[in-house]
Amino acid sequence: MSEKQDGNKIVAAEHSRPFRILSVDGGGYLGLAAAAAIRGWEQHFGLGFHERFDLFCGTSTGAIIAMALATGKSGQELVDLYGRLGQKVFRKGLFGEIGKKGRNLLLPKYGNEALREALHETFQQETFGDLLNTRKKYAIVTAYNITSGSPRVFKTDHSARLSLDASTTLADAILASTAAPTFFPVVAIRRTGQGYAEHFCDGGIVANHPALIGFAEALSELSQAPDNIRLLSVSTPRKSAGKGPGPDKDLNRGVFGWAFEIADIFIGSNVTIAHELLLRFVRSYPDPKPIYERIEMENTQLFAMDEVTQKSTRELERIGTQCGRSRDLRERVGRIVA
């Protein structure tokens, strides 16, 4: 990728190779499977995703994965990170499972101290400005701004029109993106020169499948030609929110009836629509078209996003490893990275 200077910003110029985008979905501890899959693809192709991709997009747990890769971490390092973090981040409540569920009615299910500490240990004080100017990488992290009541996309200042996030640390933006409602506390971030803090929650409310945002960003702010774009989107093995046929009375619910399923419904629906829109956009271009590959994983065991057990850890790593070894998926990923 070639670049040119615009003041103190680095902006895209003409590219001598395809412009590659990596997007990783949200999904809590299910992100272990995505990390294991990436480890397998890196080993198979003999390259690091940090070297190969230009724009890294992530939501919630996907923001951890995408930003870690953007800063030079490997898939193996990501698998190791999830192994260390699981029990610490999703630890049981003071009174065990019953206490945890009871607490969840009025307060978040978990605190975020362990996650905050791990993110600061992993990313130190690296900012979006550092990522752009030192590592020459572009980044997008999604969140929802409770203060303004609107989506918030943290990003590198990769065009002349962008100037908000150069001093925002990756750790703070990721913590905001992972603050899933009812699971974790909201996150306060104060921008330089701003007299008040803004409060954020989970990016999954906005775009649990952030590849559509990355595609639009490449076209608009990074001035990429459509036929130069190679987009790889990696899911986490989320369970379906579909209920199947059943009595109508089972579907008519009040607040408590919907409370434990509404997040999966909202997130699942925005994932599906983002994927379908991307497919239609890609097909609408004349040949040669952009290349878009979506790698999806099944959650046949119906693990919850916060289920951290020996069984879930073993199975999620198996799912990801199997994806990394699949000949068909290697060929599809190879269309992007080769």
Side-chain angles (χ1 to χ4, degrees), residues 17-59:
R17 65 176 178 83
F19 185 83
R20 295 183 175 92
I21 306 169
L22 175 68
S23 174
V24 189
D25 288 10
Y29 192 60
L30 303 173
L32 172 59
I38 290 169
R39 175 184 64 184
W41 296 325
E42 285 188 332
Q43 291 172 349
H44 174 71
F45 290 105
L47 53 83
F49 273 31
H50 170 75
E51 306 162 10
R52 213 60 175 164
F53 287 91
D54 304 293
L55 171 59
F56 295 80
C57 311
T59 291

Side-chain angles (χ1 to χ4, degrees), residues 282-296:
V282 167
R283 290 168 184 162
S284 72
Y285 288 107
D287 292 330
K289 302 179 186 298
I291 297 178
Y292 165 56
E293 291 290 351
R294 168 79 171 163
I295 307 300
E296 296 188 324

Side-chain angles (χ1 to χ4, degrees), residues 125-192:
Q125 293 300 311
E126 184 156 354
T127 65
F128 282 90
D130 297 330
L131 190 62
L132 178 66
N133 296 308
T134 302
R135 300 185 187 272
K136 309 299 189 288
K137 298 297 180 182
Y138 309 128
I140 284 174
V141 172
T142 66
Y144 182 78
N145 188 326
I146 299 172
T147 304
S148 65
S150 60
R152 177 71 160 88
V153 180
F154 295 96
K155 61 179 78 171
T156 45
D157 289 351
H158 44 247
S159 86
R161 291 182 291 184
L162 302 176
S163 59
L164 285 180
D165 297 320
S167 63
T168 301
T169 66
L170 298 177
D172 281 349
I174 295 168
L175 193 66
S177 187
T178 57
T182 76
F183 284 91
F184 293 109
V186 299
V187 173
I189 298 178
R190 188 188 304 273
R191 286 204 306 269
T192 302

Side-chain angles (χ1 to χ4, degrees), residues 29 32 87 303 307-317:
Y29 192 60
L32 172 59
Q87 292 289 350
F303 294 124
E307 186 170 341
V308 182
T309 62
Q310 288 186 346
K311 178 181 178 180
S312 67
T313 298
R314 184 171 57 250
E315 179 64 13
L316 290 171
E317 189 166 352

